[in-house]
Amino acid sequence: MKEQGRIEGQQSLNRLGIRNVNTVWWNLNTPTLYEHALQRHEALLAQNGPLVVRTGQYTGRSPKDKYVVREPSTEDTIWWGPVNQEFDEKRYQALRARLCAYLQGKDLYVEDCYVGAELETQLPIRVITESAWHKLFARNMFLTERDPQKLAEHEPSFHVIHAPGFNADPDLDGTRSEVFVLVHFGRNEVIIGGTAYAGEIKKSMFTVMNYFLPRSGVLSMHCSANYGKDENDVALFFGLSGTGKTTLSADPNRTLIGDDEHGWSDNGVFNFEGGCYAKVIRLDPKTEPEIYNTTRMFGTILENVAIAARTRILDLDSDALTENTRASYPLRAIPNASETGRAGHPNKIIMLTCDAFGVLPPVARLDSDQAMYHFLSGYTAKVAGTERGVTEPQATFSACFGAPFLALHPGIYAKLLGERIKKHKVDAWLINTGWSGGPFGVGSRIDLPHTRAMVRAVLEGKLEDAPTKKDPIFGVQVPESVPDVPSGVLQPRDTWEDGAAYDDQARKLAGMFIDNFKKFEEEVSGGVKKAGPRAG
C-alpha cells in the first residue's frame, strides 16, 4: 500500500478491514483532485472551470435501497418501517466483506472532515471512496479542517465507505437491487455501493445526525437558514428537495447560513455542512444569480449537466440525462455566506410546499398549532428526478419535511420544534412554490419573483399586522395584499377558471391531509389535531 498525504494512515484502514489496496490519497486539495479526476477520465472540465460528471444509471437518490442494520445497541430506538428498513447484521457482515475484497488493488481517496458547525455537537467523520470526484464532493459538502496539525490527528467517530463500482447481489445479499446504502450505528459506519449519485453520501450522514442530535436535546432539521441585519434575525426554510430551500435562502440582502441541513441547540442554529447541493435545471441568471454564478466557477461539481464535447459549453436547460441536474460547491462560493455557519435563534419559520394540486395559497400565516400540524404532515410534491422513477410531480406527505432521513420517530422532532417555537416566540408561515390556476399540467408554476416578494415581506415583518382572510378549507390566514405581488395571485380559488373544479381539488387534498394525519392523532394535543383542513 502506497500512501500520499498522511503518516501511518494504513493502520486506520486496516482496522476497517480495508487491506491490500494500491495507493491511498489522503486529504488532497481541490486542484489536485481536479487533476486526478481528469487523468482518470472521471470528469470533463467545462468552460470557466467547473468539473462535469455523470452518475450513470442513477441520477437521484434510491430511498428503497437504504437500510439500517438491526443490532442490539439501537434496535429499540430506530423508527423502523418503510423509511428505516431493517437489514440483518450477518448479511451486512457478508456484504461488507465482499466490498472490502472488491477494494483490494484499487486506489482510494480519503477525506477527513466534520459534520456540524457547532463545536459542542460536531461529528468528525472519514469518507473513503474509490473516485477522485466523489472525494471532492465530500470536500465541498462537509466541513474541512484547515489546520495541518489537527488534520494529522483527526480521529473519526463515523466512517463512510463508498464504492459506486461495487454492486450488491440481491439474491445473495438480501438487498432490493444492486444499489445499497447501509447504515450501521453499532459500527458507526455507512457503506454505499451500486450507485454513483453523490447525494447518497450527503444524505446518509444527515440520517446519522438525525439519530444522534435529538437524543442530546438538539433539533436536527431539513431546512435552509439565513439571517438579516444581525445574527439574531434568523429565518428557517423547511422543505423537501425542489420546494425552493436553496433558491429562497440565497438572498443578496441576507447572510446564508446553509441551504439544506441544520441543527437548533440551546445556543442557536448551526449548519451541518460546508457546501451546497443545488438543483440547476433551467437555472435563470436573472432570478438566481448567486447559484447561477457557481456553475461558472472552479471548484464546483456539476452532476449530469449537458456539456458540448468540443466547446465545453454548458446547457443548463437540457434535461437529456435527468431533471435532477445538480451543482455541488463550497458555501464560500456564495458571496454573502456565513463564515462560521452559526447564528442565533430563529424568529421566523417558513414551511415550503410545492403543491401539485394548485389549491394551497402562495403565502399564509400559521398559528402554533397549525405550524405543528404542517410540520408533521410535510406536504409537498416530489419533483421530477429527485428519486428514481419520479418523472413528474407527485403529491406526497413527508413527516418533518424530511421523512426519508429521519432515524427516530417524527414525534421526537416535532416535540423539540414545538418547544422551541414556544420558547422563542417564533412566527410560522406556509409558502406554496407550486402551481396556481390549476393542477400540474393545467395551471402554471407560481412566479419566482412573486414568491421572493412574499418571502421578503414575511422576513421584513410587513405582513405581521396585514389584514388576512381565512381559507375556508385549510383554515390558514391568507394576507389580502403583499407588496409587489398582484392581489389576484393570493387567493388560489380566484386564479382558477372553474371555481367548482377548484373546490373539488381542494376537498380532495384536504381529505389526503386528514387521512395522512390519523397516524399522529394520538400523539398531539387537541389543538394540533384540529389545526388541519376540513374535508367538507
Side-chain angles (χ1 to χ4, degrees), residues 124-183:
I125 69 169
R126 175 168 292 157
V127 179
I128 303 163
T129 180
E130 63 176 318
S131 67
W133 82 260
H134 283 103
K135 193 273 189 192
L136 179 58
F137 177 87
R139 184 175 179 81
N140 279 354
M141 299 311 303
F142 299 123
L143 296 161
T144 56
E145 177 59 71
R146 300 298 180 183
D147 186 327
Q149 182 61 37
K150 291 182 179 179
L151 190 60
E153 298 170 353
H154 187 87
E155 289 295 334
S157 297
F158 221 93
H159 288 85
V160 178
I161 305 174
H162 177 255
F166 175 74
N167 294 334
D169 181 337
D171 293 333
L172 177 64
D173 298 313
T175 57
R176 190 186 68 95
S177 72
E178 72 276 13
V179 177
F180 60 92
V181 180
L182 302 179
V183 184

Side-chain angles (χ1 to χ4, degrees), residues 160-233:
V160 178
I161 305 174
H162 177 255
F166 175 74
N167 294 334
D169 181 337
D171 293 333
L172 177 64
D173 298 313
T175 57
R176 190 186 68 95
S177 72
E178 72 276 13
V179 177
F180 60 92
V181 180
L182 302 179
V183 184
H184 195 310
F185 286 107
R187 292 182 61 101
N188 289 333
E189 70 180 16
V190 179
I191 62 174
I192 302 171
T195 174
Y197 182 67
E200 300 288 11
I201 299 173
K202 163 187 158 70
K203 287 304 186 185
S204 65
M205 288 312 305
F206 185 36
T207 298
V208 170
M209 296 299 277
N210 279 331
Y211 178 78
F212 286 119
L213 289 187
R215 291 163 58 82
S216 301
V218 177
L219 174 60
S220 53
M221 305 174 293
H222 191 211
C223 70
S224 58
N226 63 24
Y227 64 85
K229 57 186 180 295
D230 58 51
E231 293 186 6
N232 293 312
D233 179 24

Side-chain angles (χ1 to χ4, degrees), residues 63-84:
K64 295 181 180 179
D65 296 304
K66 175 189 168 187
Y67 302 85
V68 176
V69 178
R70 181 179 283 273
E71 49 83 30
S73 68
T74 58
E75 64 180 344
D76 294 333
T77 54
I78 297 295
W79 179 40
W80 299 110
V83 170
N84 297 299

Side-chain angles (χ1 to χ4, degrees), residues 30 136 139-140 142 144 146 256 274-276 294 297-299 329-339:
T30 298
L136 179 58
R139 184 175 179 81
N140 279 354
F142 299 123
T144 56
R146 300 298 180 183
L256 179 66
C276 300
T294 68
M297 192 176 293
F298 178 83
Y329 50 89
L331 196 63
R332 62 181 178 273
I334 300 296
N336 57 333
S338 167
E339 294 183 1

Side-chain angles (χ1 to χ4, degrees), residues 4 316 467:
Q4 301 288 333
L316 296 181

